[in-house]
Amino acid sequence: MVMDYFLVSLLNGVIYGLMLFMVSSGLTLIFGMMGVLNFAHASFYMIGAYIGYLCSLHLGFYAGLVIAPLVVGALGVFSERLLLRRVRPQGHTHELLLTFGLFFIFEEVIKVFFGNFAVPYQVPAGLDFAAFSVGSIEYPFYRLFIGVVALVMFVAILAVLQLTRLGIVVRAAVHRSDMVAALGHNVPTVFTALFGGGAALAGLAGAVAGAFFPTSPTMASDLGTLVFVVVVIGGLGSLSGAVVGALLIGVVTSFAVGLNVSLASLAASLGLGDTLTQMGGLFTVSLSSLAGTIPYLLMLLILLLRPSGLLGERS
Amino acid sequence: MSRVMSSPVARYAWLAATLLLLVLLPLTDSATLINVATKCLIAGLFAMGFNLLWGQMGLLSFGHAAYLGIGTFATLHMMNAIDEGWGLPAPLLPVLAGALGVVVGALMGWFASRRTGIYFAMITLAVAELTHVIADKWQGFFGGEAGVRSIRTDWWLFGFQDATSVYYYCLVWSVLLVIALWALLRSPFGLLMYALRENEERVRFLGYRTHSIKVVGFAVSAGVSAVAGSLMAFMNESANASMFATLTSAEVVLNTVIGGSAVFLGPALGAAFNTLFGYYIGGLSHFWLLYQGLIFVLVIMYAPGGLGGLFSGATRQAREGRLAHHAPAYAVGALASLLIAVATITVVELVGTVMGSSYRVLRLTSGETWPPVSLWGIDWHPLGIGTFTFVLVLIGAGTVLLRWAMASHRQALDRIGSET
Amino acid sequence: MLTVNDLHAHYGKSHVLNGVRYQLKPGEIGTILGRNGSGRSTLCKSIIGLLPPTSGSVNLGGRELAGRAPHEVSRAGIGYVPEEREIFLNLSVDENMTIGRKKGIPGAPTWTPEELYDLFPRLRERRRVKAGSLSGGEQQMLTMFRTLLGNPLMILIDEPTEGLAPKIVGVVRDTVLEMKRRGIGVLLLEQKLSLALQIADHVAVMGHGEIVFEGSVEEFRANHEVRTRWLEVS
Ligand SMILES: Nc1ncnc2c1ncn2[C@@H]1O[C@H](COP(=O)(O)OP(=O)(O)O)[C@@H](O)[C@H]1O
Ligand SMILES: [Mg+2]
């Protein structure tokens, strides 16, 4: 029973982590290249989910998996080219604030079109069955589907970055964009492409995950801070760091949800009596509630002890 | 802070007039207005505290909700204590809440100030998220969904049972703190804070401990925010953990940017603007947050100095007798903005209504046609040629006028540049 | 021909280039000498566009390049080898070379990776290694090769031999002479007078952001006053 729970949580965590990576990879590369932390990045994930929903109503679920990344990628290119680039001369703070404003606007525009509550974006019937069962737990196939899509994207991202010339240029520009420019590469255009590509990936993640998790206007802010945690833990600008950070956060959050014990009951089971229960306060809060603090505690520790992140190379 | 000083007389005339207006406001005898004004004061004070970090030291905090909330909940618990017979004078509540804010702020500031730029912002964000999760779960102190309630107790000659007395209570505290902030900024220490933002290295070479300066700045900023939180508790007599949400931290950033972080009272101006906007526009439209977001982005792109920057720029031009040069451009620009705003609002409201659930019912009952939507006292056909023409003409005309205004503004600037 | 005319540049408020004039023809090696801080590196950065000049002209074969973005200047045929050997430490040697690869302008000499590796075979042996693990000399050669793969007509090389062992200095010299042989115009900034005077066709001296002397190597050797006033540490 404990073993079953462990296996299922681990699988859920890894799959969620892979999905977090799809959203974080663009964010961390964009930061590495231009020093912009894009607040609106998680909005691309939300918009992807809504476009997936629209497509599932009119064109079918699978069409959404193609259209959502395309539309969201175009939106990313548009935002970078027409808005972000204009405030670049005024410095990073202005860019940050602009993305912050975009985050706000995207959420509200979604509300204008789809209302304040979740929309019924459903897993298509063909994918809605149990893949296998672990003990008494039926494991939904769609979760595996999310995992496979994320894994394929993961391999694709790494292949593009490692093997293509564009990927090599991006990786170089993340470290020294001025030298890349001096060697004849149009860095602003490469950056626009990267911004669009990152947005498209986030959009795809949204279209896939939105069918399983709720598709609502708050999904950007729900995911947004978590994605920041991922890229900070991995090291801003570091792709391999994003992998590690995403899997770590995915697994941690997945395990934390199921832990239904409090510090006080833990102490009691260790024979320390009811002192902590009587003290009340934070000690009686169940650990699963406090587990929500783990990502932020990790993030704080990293920022204070090793701001370049677990795998980041720059200080 | 604004390094360009306007002439003292003009400055103080503005200030005196504003203050007089604030003091006389309760004469309107409108409880709603007084309540909204109280909210403006509190949001304004919060933004002023926030901007001590950003405007003065260039440190962007994405987690000031934590300090506001600490002030609020500390005050609610103190108010309950008074109610249970503790002899705590009510006017002292903000002092104690502020002191708590200073202590917590010093602690958090000590951590956060070890980093700069985006890393600083991320630390403040992490602290605020942490506080939010804890506040959410720790029902004993933060009261869970229901939150914590309390009641105001009268003190000495003062009764606090009506909106007016609460308003004056907040006004006195806000004015006192704003004066204190002003004095702080003009003190040698305030100049050091500013110098730190310009060139931290140099300040260090001069022998100052820059980290300590930042910690003190953070502590004061958190303290002022906690006082704002305390006033909020006093006004509302209740609060719940949702005030720790990122949205609260985001709002103060929004307010400060829209008001202008480089002008001393800019953040307060922005907070007042947004509070009034939320109250009045929020009453008219479901989509007011969208409009607020659009204003924010427009300010970032076209008026990085914010409302305060526009205002101080215009008064400077007036003083130097140059306003006349720019007046036509400003007037046309305002007209153009109005046209574009009307078009945007029309689109948003029509789309929002048409996509809404009540309209869907309307469509079903009308046999899948597109019934007209009423806006500005006119019936609009959602897919009608007239609707599209109206919007396109407004946007077209607005864009043309706006371009003209910007070009003419630039020409006027060039002319002045070549004259001097 | 590369012609720099009345070039001014600032770092913030400090005026670093103060009306520089300079000329370089394809197939010749020019060197600019000067004390540390005289503005030679800044001249390179201004020409390539990393520090946009505040006024003045940079002209290559009739095309005005002042104020252009670095990638445009690079594509117009000017290569740049910075003094800090800014290789991409996280990329392999081959990947570093890939980034430099581009089509040159018509008439510019062209290079292939294999030819370059022939000039310095040790780098070929380490082509799959992360560039961060290379020695200083290997990094310097990689920086030059990377730029040469962009097939430039003119190349600006900023202090290539700083801190290198004598043997590698010889490889640098041979590589620069090979560039000249193929018809590239080389602007070589050097601290080591011996190397510069050995291979340069003409010599200029920079002081306080201006060219204060120009002439042949012989003229420079004969001019004692310029050396004491602008070069030797007083
Ligand atoms: N990044 C920079 N910021 C500000 N000043 C600089 C910078 N780089 C160089 N300088 C200044 O510009 C002047 C010229 O420097 P540089 O061009 O590097 O000289 P050189 O290469 O001849 O030694 C020096 O006074 C130096 O202090
Ligand atoms: Mg130099």
Side-chain angles (χ1 to χ4, degrees):
Chain A
M1 193 59 213
V2 173
M3 202 56 207
D4 295 349
Y5 164 74
F6 180 83
L7 274 181
V8 167
S9 292
L10 188 64
L11 195 55
N12 283 351
V14 169
I15 289 174
Y16 191 57
L18 286 171
M19 211 199 66
L20 278 178
F21 174 76
M22 280 173 77
V23 184
S24 324
S25 54
L27 186 66
T28 203
L29 289 177
I30 287 165
F31 179 84
M33 192 158 164
M34 288 308 217
V36 192
L37 196 56
N38 177 14
F39 261 90
H41 199 74
S43 310
F44 294 135
Y45 167 80
M46 168 188 69
I47 297 170
Y50 275 92
I51 292 176
Y53 166 64
L54 269 189
C55 291
S56 76
L57 293 182
H58 303 289
L59 302 165
F61 171 80
Y62 296 100
L65 298 192
V66 179
I67 294 174
L70 289 179
V71 174
V72 177
L75 185 66
V77 167
F78 165 85
S79 315
E80 201 283 327
R81 199 68 202 226
L82 296 181
L83 304 174
L84 214 50
R85 195 179 279 197
R86 282 208 184 181
V87 300
R88 186 153 304 142
Q90 293 162 43
H92 288 329
T93 312
H94 264 82
E95 291 179 274
L96 182 77
L97 289 172
L98 183 73
T99 64
F100 186 61
L102 288 179
F103 165 83
F104 233 76
I105 290 178
F106 287 146
E107 178 169 332
E108 296 307 320
V109 168
I110 287 292
K111 284 184 190 164
V112 170
F113 280 93
F114 298 96
N116 290 352
F117 304 105
V119 292
Y121 184 20
Q122 299 289 341
V123 174
L127 299 175
D128 195 11
F129 55 89
F132 52 83
S133 49
V134 185
S136 59
I137 310 165
E138 299 237 300
Y139 202 82
F141 173 80
Y142 195 79
R143 262 193 200 271
L144 294 184
F145 177 74
I146 297 179
V148 169
V149 172
L151 206 60
V152 169
M153 283 327 298
F154 179 75
V155 173
I157 296 168
L158 289 190
V160 166
L161 284 169
Q162 294 296 329
L163 303 178
T164 69
R165 192 163 131 95
L166 179 67
I168 294 172
V169 169
V170 166
R171 273 157 60 218
V174 164
H175 284 255
R176 296 206 157 123
S177 62
D178 54 345
M179 271 321 296
V180 173
L183 289 167
H185 298 278
N186 188 342
V187 169
T189 300
V190 172
F191 183 65
T192 307
L194 176 64
F195 205 91
L201 270 177
L204 177 63
V208 174
F212 192 80
F213 303 109
T215 295
S216 78
T218 61
M219 68 195 285
S221 40
D222 293 345
L223 193 74
T225 35
L226 215 51
V227 174
F228 278 175
V229 175
V230 166
V231 296
V232 166
I233 287 182
L236 284 165
S238 160
L239 196 74
S240 41
V243 178
V244 174
L247 289 175
L248 185 69
I249 295 299
V251 172
V252 163
T253 33
S254 152
F255 271 100
V257 179
L259 286 176
N260 220 344
V261 286
S262 66
L263 281 181
S265 66
L266 211 62
S269 69
L270 292 175
L272 296 180
D274 288 341
T275 6
L276 289 187
T277 315
Q278 278 147 23
M279 285 171 72
L282 272 180
F283 297 114
T284 52
V285 173
S286 100
L287 271 189
S288 73
S289 328
L290 285 186
T293 62
I294 294 176
Y296 303 110
L297 278 175
L298 273 176
M299 176 174 173
L300 261 185
L301 279 180
I302 291 280
L303 282 168
L304 294 174
L305 302 179
R306 197 185 148 81
S308 59
L310 291 178
L311 296 179
E313 287 163 53
R314 22 163 72 189
S315 53
Chain B
M1 294 296 112
S2 167
R3 297 284 116 181
V4 189
M5 297 287 151
S6 31
S7 86
V9 178
R11 255 177 99 82
Y12 292 122
W14 274 111
L15 280 180
T18 311
L19 196 59
L20 191 70
L21 202 72
L22 288 173
V23 170
L24 296 182
L25 187 115
L27 290 181
T28 58
D29 212 25
S30 148
T32 342
L33 185 62
I34 294 171
N35 268 327
V36 177
T38 315
K39 283 187 182 156
C40 288
L41 288 175
I42 295 170
L45 185 61
F46 184 29
M48 294 295 292
F50 165 85
N51 197 45
L52 181 66
L53 272 184
W54 187 17
Q56 195 71 5
M57 299 204 287
L59 298 171
L60 184 51
S61 160
F62 272 110
H64 254 47
Y67 313 104
L68 184 81
I70 285 170
T72 300
F73 280 90
T75 303
L76 287 172
H77 286 294
M78 285 192 283
M79 282 160 67
N80 278 332
I82 296 176
D83 198 35
E84 285 160 17
W86 284 42
L88 212 58
L92 224 57
L93 291 175
V95 177
L96 295 175
L100 182 65
V102 167
V103 172
V104 178
L107 188 69
M108 294 307 151
W110 190 84
F111 286 118
S113 309
R114 292 160 55 113
R115 306 275 171 249
T116 52
I118 191 68
Y119 293 92
F120 175 90
M122 285 296 108
I123 293 182
T124 58
L125 181 77
V127 168
E129 289 294 326
L130 212 54
T131 322
H132 186 200
V133 177
I134 292 175
D136 245 357
K137 306 298 174 190
W138 188 0
Q139 305 219 341
F141 191 81
F142 295 97
E145 291 264 314
V148 175
R149 317 193 136 268
S150 183
I151 48 163
R152 292 185 292 262
T153 321
D154 295 344
W155 173 74
W156 196 38
L157 300 177
F158 301 97
F160 292 116
Q161 301 315 317
D162 60 324
T164 306
S165 57
V166 173
Y167 171 78
Y168 279 122
Y169 178 85
C170 293
L171 181 62
V172 168
W173 272 111
S174 306
V175 170
L176 284 179
L177 271 156
V178 165
I179 292 173
L181 277 175
W182 190 81
L184 176 68
L185 296 194
R186 263 127 199 95
S187 70
F189 188 78
L191 293 178
L192 261 184
M193 287 159 88
Y194 191 78
L196 200 85
R197 171 209 180 116
E198 296 293 293
N199 193 338
E200 181 164 351
E201 205 79 332
R202 190 171 298 169
V203 177
R204 210 191 335 261
F205 282 147
L206 288 175
Y208 294 101
R209 291 169 46 187
T210 51
H211 183 243
S212 313
I213 300 174
K214 289 187 195 172
V215 173
V216 173
F218 202 113
V220 176
S221 169
V224 174
S225 307
V227 172
S230 175
L231 299 180
M232 200 180 256
F234 198 76
M235 175 189 183
N236 296 330
E237 303 181 294
S238 71
N240 71 21
S242 69
M243 74 178 294
F244 285 96
T246 332
L247 184 65
T248 312
S249 301
E251 265 169 6
V252 74
V253 177
L254 238 71
N255 290 347
T256 306
V257 170
I258 289 183
S261 66
V263 179
F264 179 65
L265 284 172
L269 180 66
F273 174 84
N274 276 344
T275 308
L276 293 173
F277 191 88
Y279 187 79
Y280 290 104
I281 308 297
L284 293 174
S285 165
H286 291 306
F287 309 117
W288 66 279
L289 277 171
L290 175 57
Y291 301 134
Q292 201 174 56
L294 287 171
I295 293 177
F296 176 77
V297 166
L298 287 176
V299 166
I300 295 272
M301 294 196 57
Y302 298 106
L307 296 178
L310 290 180
F311 182 75
S312 72
T315 49
R316 194 168 54 242
Q317 285 166 0
R319 209 170 41 252
E320 292 167 6
R322 293 193 279 114
L323 195 56
H325 287 280
H326 296 287
Y330 287 163
V332 173
L335 177 67
S337 312
L338 184 70
L339 294 181
I340 295 176
V342 168
T344 310
I345 294 170
T346 308
V347 171
V348 170
E349 297 295 327
L350 289 185
V351 171
T353 309
V354 168
M355 299 298 293
S357 51
S358 44
Y359 190 81
R360 208 164 304 139
V361 174
L362 208 60
R363 283 200 65 197
L364 284 177
T365 52
S366 68
E368 292 293 318
T369 58
W370 297 92
V373 178
S374 155
L375 177 73
W376 323 109
I378 301 174
D379 278 349
W380 301 82
H381 293 274
L383 299 179
I385 287 287
T387 311
F388 283 92
T389 316
F390 176 80
V391 168
L392 291 178
V393 165
L394 248 54
I395 288 193
T399 311
V400 170
L401 289 178
L402 201 59
R403 276 169 186 264
W404 182 86
M406 280 156 91
S408 135
H409 181 60
R410 223 170 293 127
Q411 269 171 16
L413 284 182
D414 288 348
R415 209 160 47 235
I416 291 156
S418 61
E419 278 165 15
T420 48
Chain C
M1 188 156 80
L2 176 68
T3 311
V4 174
N5 210 344
D6 200 21
L7 201 69
H8 291 259
H10 294 74
Y11 279 115
K13 284 192 183 116
S14 76
H15 197 158
V16 179
L17 293 189
N18 201 355
V20 176
R21 277 164 217 285
Y22 192 73
Q23 281 202 337
L24 188 66
K25 294 195 189 69
E28 69 179 18
I29 301 177
T31 186
I32 301 184
L33 307 170
R35 285 202 189 102
N36 258 336
S38 55
R40 293 164 303 149
S41 299
T42 307
L43 174 62
C44 291
K45 286 185 187 146
S46 284
I47 293 175
I48 197 74
L50 288 174
L51 179 74
T54 29
S55 69
S57 140
V58 173
N59 197 297
L60 181 66
R63 205 169 144 205
E64 182 54 44
L65 297 173
R68 290 303 183 88
H71 69 269
E72 293 176 304
V73 179
S74 162
R75 287 177 190 178
I78 302 184
Y80 170 53
V81 181
E83 67 182 324
E84 300 88 3
R85 297 176 197 150
E86 298 202 14
I87 56 166
F88 306 110
L89 300 169
N90 57 325
L91 269 53
S92 73
V93 170
D94 266 351
E95 286 172 335
N96 268 274
M97 299 278 268
T98 304
I99 294 204
R101 210 177 64 215
K102 75 173 172 3
K103 230 179 116 215
I105 56 168
T110 59
W111 306 73
T112 67
E114 294 311 316
E115 279 167 8
L116 290 168
Y117 283 139
D118 284 342
L119 289 172
F120 189 54
R122 193 164 351 139
L123 215 47
R124 178 186 282 126
E125 292 159 21
R126 315 202 60 182
R127 58 198 296 172
R128 313 230 177 274
V129 169
K130 281 255 179 295
S133 68
L134 298 181
S135 72
E138 290 163 348
Q139 294 194 1
Q140 182 60 53
M141 294 310 295
L142 176 58
T143 321
M144 288 205 287
F145 288 178
R146 187 180 68 183
T147 305
L148 285 175
L149 278 179
N151 302 321
L153 182 61
M154 298 286 169
I155 191 165
L156 320 172
I157 311 181
D158 196 349
E159 308 217 359
T161 65
E162 203 183 346
L164 296 190
K167 216 174 134 210
I168 298 271
V169 172
V171 181
V172 171
R173 185 197 55 212
D174 293 346
T175 309
V176 171
L177 287 173
E178 177 66 15
M179 295 178 198
K180 171 184 155 105
R181 201 183 62 77
R182 294 204 183 188
I184 297 185
V186 183
L187 171 57
L188 179 68
L189 306 186
E190 257 303 331
Q191 278 302 327
K192 296 189 177 64
L193 275 189
S194 55
L195 175 67
L197 298 183
Q198 190 189 347
I199 60 175
D201 297 310
H202 55 84
V203 179
V205 176
M206 188 175 242
H208 301 319
E210 283 176 85
I211 299 292
V212 292
F213 169 87
E214 266 193 289
S216 67
V217 175
E218 290 68 35
E219 283 163 345
F220 172 73
R221 285 190 199 280
N223 194 329
H224 186 71
E225 196 243 322
V226 161
R227 289 219 305 276
T228 46
R229 177 145 179 233
W230 294 108
L231 293 180
E232 276 146 32
V233 183
S234 43

